[in-house]
Amino acid sequence: MQPAQEDVLTLSQTLDQLMARDSVQVELIPEKRGLFLKHVEYQVTSTRYKMSVYRRYSDFDVFHEILLQRFSYRVVPVLPPKRMLKGVLTSVSERDFIEGRRRALCRFINLVARHPFFSEDELVKTFLTFSGSDVQIKLRDTYKKTGDEFMTNRVATLAKEYLPADIQAQFSASRELIKNVHNSFSKLRERAEKIAERSKENASDLLMFGRELSTLGSDTLPLPSLASSQSSWGTLRQALKSLSVEFAVLSDKSAQQGRREEDDVVEKLNLFLDLLLSYKDLCERHEKGVLHEHQRALHKYGVMKRQMMSATVQPKEQASVEQLESRIVQQENAIQTMELRNYFSLFCLHQETQLIFSYLPITSHILGAFVNSQVQGHSEMGQVWNELRPKLGCLFGDKNGLKATM
């Protein structure tokens, strides 16, 4: 009996195992250096390596560029844009943009640090641990020593042997399924963002409602003589001022719920959507890159062969014939290498498709975070509302507009 073939194609990684590889925090350093230009710096802290380093956006940009060169056949997460190009940023929108970019950089580095292949590569370790003066030079030097993954992966030239016969059919079916998942998650994020935004708007409305009650109660103008002597408005007006405190608490609770919805729900959706978008980019790189180059090489080889046939029919100088033969041999070698790379690209694509499926259980994490945020938010606000009910009775007596609950 022959020994069982090693299953190098299958990724046996669960979501929990991927998440446990590392957790990286990206925090904004408030100081901005530079005489004329404002520069943003980030503190990047890895749980795995138990250390912090400082990085600029340009460091992330170079790191992303080199990752694409090193792992061109794998899902390299998207990087957020450096700046907003349209219009002049106001101070508020600039802060929002910088915070949004910080969140996106945090998602990027966590997806990289948890990737089953990236996480074990020297490039990632360098980015998360190197504290020297120029990390970009160090990253480039590290890549020069290794080259791309095809040159270092032990099964790269044998990838064809591990691929199932129906790999193309599997890829097409998986790609269509992932496309549908991507569309659904995009719509879920859109709704989650609206829910979080409504919580923030509710917080603003509650605060303004309380302030208007305070303004109403602070009116010092005397009641006119035509008002009934039995009118209790003067007493009620004084009581209104104190209610703004409770409404400020309600506003704060609603704002907290909005932040939880944004941090715990929207961000998890964004993380998975970043991965799905990167998978889409990978599929396009495979089709437009490796396959297209292979087809071009075959076409060029066909042209050379026809030229060679023509040369044998129509006598030409021996030197030119030998030169053409040499070019044909070079092209044959190039085609062979491209075929190997094409199979390795399919091999990696098959593994990256499995990675997407490994992340699908994040759906339960998102739903859990959503439910918890609603339970906590409504519970906290309900407690304040319930505390406010007897206070209204004390302030206004029995005629306070409140109905007894059944």
Side-chain angles (χ1 to χ4, degrees):
M1 291 180 62
Q2 291 183 345
Q5 189 179 40
E6 183 184 3
D7 188 8
V8 296
L9 184 62
T10 302
L11 284 182
S12 56
Q13 293 278 313
T14 66
L15 178 61
D16 289 341
Q17 290 172 329
L18 292 170
M19 301 286 278
R21 284 178 174 270
D22 202 355
S23 178
V24 185
Q25 300 297 318
V26 178
E27 300 298 336
L28 191 66
I29 303 300
E31 294 82 7
K32 295 181 179 180
R33 302 171 182 174
L35 185 60
F36 299 106
L37 297 175
K38 291 181 178 180
H39 298 304
V40 177
E41 196 170 28
Y42 304 94
Q43 183 180 37
V44 180
T45 306
S46 165
T47 302
R48 177 181 181 180
Y49 294 107
K50 296 179 173 60
M51 66 179 300
S52 297
V53 292
Y54 297 92
R55 298 287 180 257
R56 295 264 301 278
Y57 176 85
S58 58
D59 299 328
F60 279 92
D61 193 28
V62 169
F63 178 50
H64 180 258
E65 172 194 332
I66 296 174
L67 271 180
L68 277 171
Q69 295 172 9
R70 171 93 174 100
F71 296 102
S72 57
Y73 306 131
R74 298 202 181 273
V75 171
V76 177
V78 293
L79 200 66
K82 182 176 182 180
R83 60 173 62 91
M84 292 178 66
L85 301 177
K86 294 183 179 180
V88 179
L89 293 174
T90 65
S91 59
V92 175
S93 62
E94 183 179 17
R95 284 196 301 270
D96 290 344
F97 171 73
I98 290 174
E99 170 59 16
R101 189 175 66 182
R102 183 199 66 79
R103 288 174 179 264
L105 290 173
C106 188
R107 297 194 300 269
F108 162 78
I109 194 60
N110 273 287
L111 286 171
V112 169
R114 294 166 181 170
H115 191 283
F117 297 102
F118 301 167
S119 59
E120 303 306 315
D121 194 76
E122 191 64 25
L123 272 176
V124 176
K125 182 179 180 181
T126 299
F127 186 81
L128 292 174
T129 62
F130 182 74
S131 56
S133 58
D134 197 332
V135 68
Q136 296 181 23
I137 293 177
K138 182 68 173 177
L139 288 169
R140 296 187 192 281
D141 289 343
T142 302
Y143 173 67
K144 288 177 183 178
K145 294 176 183 177
T146 58
D148 79 332
E149 188 186 11
F150 180 78
M151 305 299 294
T152 59
N153 192 300
R154 64 186 179 87
V155 300
T157 58
L158 305 173
K160 182 180 180 180
E161 299 178 15
Y162 296 103
L163 292 174
D166 61 342
I167 181 64
Q168 291 291 356
Q170 287 189 33
F171 168 56
S172 297
S174 297
R175 188 178 184 182
E176 186 64 24
L177 172 60
I178 292 172
K179 178 183 176 182
N180 294 338
V181 170
H182 193 170
N183 290 336
S184 293
F185 268 81
S186 295
K187 294 175 182 177
L188 286 173
R189 178 179 60 182
E190 181 182 346
R191 296 303 167 186
E193 286 175 337
K194 289 183 177 180
I195 291 170
E197 190 60 34
R198 281 198 297 269
S199 294
K200 295 177 183 177
E201 291 174 354
N202 190 39
S204 177
D205 290 339
L206 285 167
L207 185 63
M208 293 306 300
F209 193 93
R211 286 179 179 175
E212 288 303 323
L213 286 177
S214 179
T215 299
L216 189 61
S218 300
D219 191 350
T220 57
L221 290 175
L223 287 174
S225 57
L226 57 87
S228 170
S229 60
Q230 300 298 318
S231 174
S232 60
W233 174 242
T235 304
L236 294 176
R237 189 169 62 183
Q238 292 297 317
L240 290 174
K241 288 193 289 187
S242 64
L243 294 180
S244 63
V245 175
E246 279 74 13
F247 279 92
V249 173
L250 287 166
S251 172
D252 184 59
K253 296 297 183 184
S254 185
Q256 289 178 27
Q257 180 169 343
R259 286 192 292 270
R260 281 193 299 269
E261 290 162 348
E262 197 171 61
D263 295 342
D264 299 339
V265 182
V266 176
E267 273 305 291
K268 285 183 174 67
L269 285 164
N270 281 332
L271 179 80
F272 190 41
L273 282 167
D274 285 352
L275 186 65
L276 292 171
L277 178 59
S278 304
Y279 179 80
K280 178 183 176 183
D281 292 342
L282 173 63
C283 294
E284 292 177 354
R285 284 203 306 275
H286 173 73
E287 292 179 338
K288 297 178 181 178
V290 178
L291 289 179
H292 183 64
E293 289 176 5
H294 188 208
Q295 291 169 356
R296 285 177 58 189
L298 288 173
H299 176 73
K300 185 177 180 180
Y301 178 71
V303 172
M304 288 181 178
K305 291 292 286 185
R306 286 193 294 272
Q307 289 175 345
M308 189 65 186
M309 292 176 63
S310 176
T312 58
V313 175
Q314 301 176 0
K316 292 186 178 181
E317 294 182 7
Q318 185 65 25
S320 63
V321 173
E322 291 177 353
Q323 186 179 29
L324 184 57
E325 287 177 343
S326 176
R327 288 173 56 200
I328 289 175
V329 171
Q330 291 176 3
Q331 190 65 14
E332 287 174 344
N333 292 334
I335 289 173
Q336 184 179 14
T337 300
M338 286 183 184
E339 287 177 346
L340 292 174
R341 282 186 173 273
N342 180 42
Y343 284 120
F344 183 60
S345 178
L346 278 171
F347 179 92
C348 294
L349 191 54
H350 191 74
Q351 290 185 324
E352 298 303 292
T353 303
Q354 295 174 63
L355 179 66
I356 299 297
F357 291 134
S358 294
Y359 263 91
L360 274 174
I362 201 173
T363 308
S364 62
H365 294 220
I366 294 167
L367 286 173
F370 179 60
V371 171
N372 289 338
S373 70
Q374 299 306 306
V375 170
Q376 183 177 350
H378 289 295
S379 175
E380 291 179 353
M381 291 189 70
Q383 183 178 350
V384 179
W385 285 117
N386 285 326
E387 290 173 354
L388 185 57
R389 178 191 289 268
K391 187 171 183 179
L392 292 181
C394 294
L395 291 175
F396 304 140
D398 296 333
K399 298 178 180 180
N400 53 29
L402 296 176
K403 295 182 179 179
T405 56
M406 299 298 290

